Amino acid sequence: MATQLTQYAHPEVLVETEWLEKHLKDDGIRIVESNEDVLLYDTGHIPGAVHIDWRADLQDPVIRDYIAPEKFAELCGRNGITPDTTCIFYGDKANWWACYALWAFRLFGHEKVKILNGGRDKWKTEGRPMTRDVPKYAKTNYPVPKKRFDKEIRAFFDEALAQSKSGNPLIDVRSPGEYKGEITHMPEYPQEGVLRGGHIPGAKSMPWKTATNDDATFKPASELAKIYFEQCGVGPEKDTIVYCRIGERSSHTWFVLTYLLGLNNVRNYDGSWTEWGNKVGAPIEKSA
């Protein structure tokens, strides 16, 4: 039955470009651009959009972790965001990094989140308005989140290892070359310090972009169901862990599984291959 889905489990989480252009000035929303290329925002962005830098704004500069709840509250406050604000995320690379920012917001419990279907590329291709003007919003007093939802949507090394040993669904969303251990970084990207190539034993290979069309929009629910339910073995009865290099590509797959396919048992292992490939004693496979 799962492979016969005719619509997304939560269609309301996607915003189409046509709708957004008509609602740019609506109260209660904040458009958030988050890109792999952190300089892209300055070349032009959707009118009214704020820029959230995935590294400078969301990650702790000293320890390899996300910012503290107090810092998240400050980030939201200076961008005019309240807990009741609907944040509409978009960005380059088929919303790869926009999903990462959305996942980070969910990590701190911000509930009202959406993705612009097709992201920056589709918006620009359709000739919709762009500006270099940086908006100014009144600062808000965003309450400090009482906790991060690490247990609910995030996985750590020990949990990924247990997932591997149990045979439960584990999805590697990197490129096939990375999965096979032929390369230790994304094609056309620099080596980022990983000592060993390969994948976590038992992990299925399903590159993140398999979920998107050529125009950067998400594939229909029926196609996504075949990809993940049939080929990857995910489902409501088994917990699933997804991973990539630092958790950014896998956050895109987490979004697909959680919001578009409606699973509530998916966690993102953000330590991913940067941690696993360097960790003493961590088992690896190199088979296809």
Side-chain angles (χ1 to χ4, degrees):
M1 183 176 73
T3 58
Q4 298 176 354
L5 290 178
T6 57
Q7 69 171 10
Y8 299 130
H10 300 285
E12 72 282 358
V13 81
L14 290 182
V15 170
E16 301 301 328
T17 52
E18 181 180 9
W19 183 91
L20 185 58
E21 185 175 357
K22 295 176 181 178
H23 296 268
L24 291 176
K25 297 182 179 180
D26 282 13
D27 292 334
I29 71 169
R30 182 68 68 245
I31 306 168
V32 178
E33 178 166 326
S34 191
N35 303 307
E36 179 200 38
D37 181 354
V38 297
L39 301 178
L40 201 54
Y41 174 86
D42 293 334
T43 69
H45 48 268
I46 296 176
V50 299
H51 180 222
I52 289 184
D53 184 323
W54 63 271
R55 179 176 292 162
D57 291 328
L58 295 174
Q59 297 187 351
D60 188 292
V62 178
I63 60 173
R64 195 183 169 217
D65 202 352
Y66 296 96
I67 53 176
E70 293 80 8
K71 292 292 185 182
F72 179 76
E74 291 176 12
L75 172 66
C76 290
R78 69 172 179 264
N79 284 296
I81 296 170
T82 75
D84 292 325
T85 302
T86 296
C87 293
I88 302 174
F89 296 87
Y90 79 99
D92 61 354
K93 302 291 178 69
N95 280 323
W96 162 7
W97 295 90
C99 287
Y100 189 46
L102 180 149
W103 180 81
F105 266 59
R106 290 297 299 120
L107 191 65
F108 289 97
H110 192 92
E111 296 183 354
K112 297 185 176 182
V113 294
K114 297 178 185 290
I115 286 285
L116 175 64
N117 200 15
R120 181 185 172 94
D121 294 339
K122 188 170 188 287
W123 183 275
K124 197 171 182 180
T125 298
E126 292 173 347
R128 299 190 187 275
M130 303 280 282
T131 182
R132 292 187 179 183
D133 296 337
V134 178
K136 301 292 184 183
Y137 295 107
K139 186 176 180 180
T140 61
N141 186 24
Y142 196 102
V144 176
K146 295 180 180 179
K147 71 168 189 174
R148 285 192 324 205
F149 285 76
D150 286 333
K151 292 183 179 179
E152 290 82 358
I153 66 171
R154 188 182 186 191
F156 295 88
F157 173 83
D158 290 343
E159 294 165 321
L161 181 61
Q163 190 85 351
S164 172
K165 291 179 177 179
S166 69
N168 284 328
L170 188 61
I171 305 176
D172 185 320
V173 312
R174 299 174 299 161
S175 67
E178 291 171 274
Y179 176 82
K180 295 174 185 177
E182 297 170 349
I183 55 177
T184 55
H185 54 94
M186 292 177 283
E188 301 178 0
Y189 282 73
Q191 163 59 263
E192 291 163 305
V194 176
L195 298 176
R196 303 181 301 162
H199 58 268
I200 299 175
K204 295 283 184 68
S205 175
M206 188 57 67
W208 70 277
K209 209 170 183 180
T210 308
T212 63
N213 297 306
D214 290 341
D215 65 353
T217 58
F218 292 98
K219 287 181 178 177
S222 58
E223 291 187 38
L224 295 176
K226 289 179 180 178
I227 292 167
Y228 294 103
F229 290 134
E230 291 185 5
Q231 298 179 44
C232 296
V234 306
E237 71 287 347
K238 293 182 180 180
D239 290 346
T240 295
I241 291 178
V242 294
Y243 76 92
C244 58
R245 176 185 58 99
I246 61 169
E248 79 304 22
R249 284 174 283 179
S250 49
S251 64
H252 188 278
T253 303
W254 173 87
F255 174 83
V256 170
L257 295 176
T258 300
Y259 284 102
L260 303 188
L261 293 181
L263 298 177
N264 61 3
N265 57 353
V266 183
R267 288 177 294 160
N268 184 20
Y269 171 34
D270 61 283
S272 284
W273 199 254
T274 298
E275 177 179 37
W276 195 282
N278 285 327
K279 194 171 184 67
V280 173
I284 65 170
E285 285 182 348
K286 289 179 178 274
S287 60

